[in-house]
Amino acid sequence: MGQWLIVITMILIIQSWQQCSGHRSSSQRPHIIFIMADDLGWNDVGFHGSNQIPTPNIDALAYSGIILNQYYVTAICTPSRSALMTGKHPIHTGMQHTVLFGAEPRGLPLTEKLLPEYLKELGYTTHIVGKWHLGSYRREYTPTYRGFDSHLGYWTGHHDYNDHTAVESPYWGLDMRRGMEPAWDLHGQYSTDVFTKEAVRLITGHNASKPLFLYLAHAAVHSGNPYNPLPAPDEVVEKFSTITDYNRRRFAGVLHKLDESVGKVVTALQDTDMLQNSILVFTTDNGGPAAGFNINAASNWPLRGVKNTLWEGGVRGAGLLWSPLLARPGRVSSQLFHITDWLPTLYAAAGGDVGYLGQIDGMNAWRALSEDLPSNRSSVLHNIDDIYGNAALTLGDWKIVKGTTYGGSWDGWYGPSGRGEPMTHIYDLYKVIASPAGRAMARAGKSLSPGLIQALRDQAEVICDSVTSVPTYSRTARSDCKPLQAPCLFNIRNDPCEQNNLASVYPEILQHLEMTLSEINSTAVPPSNLAWDPRADPRFWDHTWTNFGDYSILSNAVS
């Protein structure tokens, strides 16, 4: 009898500890659905104020969850994805300089433990659908060797949405796989549809008693190969005939299919009764390539710069968080949040002990976001790239920009703004409510109202004076920024469009930020970029991009 009393007492103690510590058993952990768009601009979602291209499903999630209005990503694909997966700044993993190319014999260091590996230890089933872009020259760098149970998608930075080949001139080959096997059978099927179908299949076939981590990393809205940079079905593009710019019209078709995908994924979660215990994230990986950059037509208006620049247009991301577990949803978040924060934040939300994550740069913001508490983050390192010779850091209200990319040729402000459009482009609040995601929200008890939508949309919009005018708060102190000549300083809270360089007005603040950047740079590891390996040429591997480092080229070479 005494032994049974001891056992019962121990059980009660453990249960009490679990309740107090937030510890959850595997069956109680929330499903995590992480949707990453590729190259989506700040101004390409309706909830930031543009009327031009409707994104009703994405917007429905935003208005019924949390709009992350002070959210930062890195400026380009590989660094952002490495930051997401490791919780570390790219300067601490060697991934800080440009992107990883399919012919490079490198990848995200194998010494790094990744988000899906941490979640598997908590009992999660883990899947990736879509883009990887963190290394594939040997199999141990590919997704199913780095914590994911399955992968349907591609390894390099982009591919054509229909033939699924990737051009990295002079190389060209198929880049679409199931696990390690080329997926030739998917030829001709539109990538966004392929990835959506796979995501829905994984959701509907999942045993909901076990937590699911689904990383859906779309190709959209990244440009495809140069011969067809903005591929979208003609019947979809026709819906946007009132957009007069041809490239922007085709971009609208690509974005429409992405938004449609979000609606289908949310609907699948609701239909399987998984939505009520889910965390959904929607984010871009970097700022949008606007005005023809990368043969694309995204918009970051009114923010400055484009993808692969350290201006706000390159690093301030469109993002949202949705979950019934949020204590205070339906608002615009002002908490400073960085892409490295996703790993500890989601790990904490899943019931993990963030102390177990070791020395990472990301911070756990789950409680701050859920309860609308002050953020524990006061600064964001945007990047330090000693090859480009540029760096940027936000500390409190201040941002320093040192150097730039492309000789400064992409340092301006690029539209379209999507405001003042024809009557055909009026923002339709009811279209958001009636969207598949909006209807799923209603069934989940998160109904939207026109008043709430309009109020949140107004709060989420960044409004600046015309980029040709002087901000009224410092009219006499205005100074142009020429970062190739000298560092620039901005009060990013008052001047989010980076129009007014205050370096000469506040030299002490500038000096402090420069010193901080220097201290951070002392912790950096060298960039890991390597010369292209000719063994990677897809011609040697049945015209596919492959894990060439695992094979002898002698038995596969073609004449």
Side-chain angles (χ1 to χ4, degrees), residues 511-532:
Q511 183 182 31
H512 175 62
L513 267 64
E514 284 193 279
M515 290 176 60
T516 303
L517 269 177
S518 180
E519 291 171 2
I520 295 172
N521 201 19
S522 69
T523 70
V525 300
S528 61
N529 307 73
L530 294 173
W532 289 17

Side-chain angles (χ1 to χ4, degrees), residues 12-23:
L12 291 173
I13 291 172
I14 291 171
Q15 289 177 340
S16 176
W17 171 79
Q18 289 176 339
Q19 291 171 358
C20 293
S21 66
H23 180 83

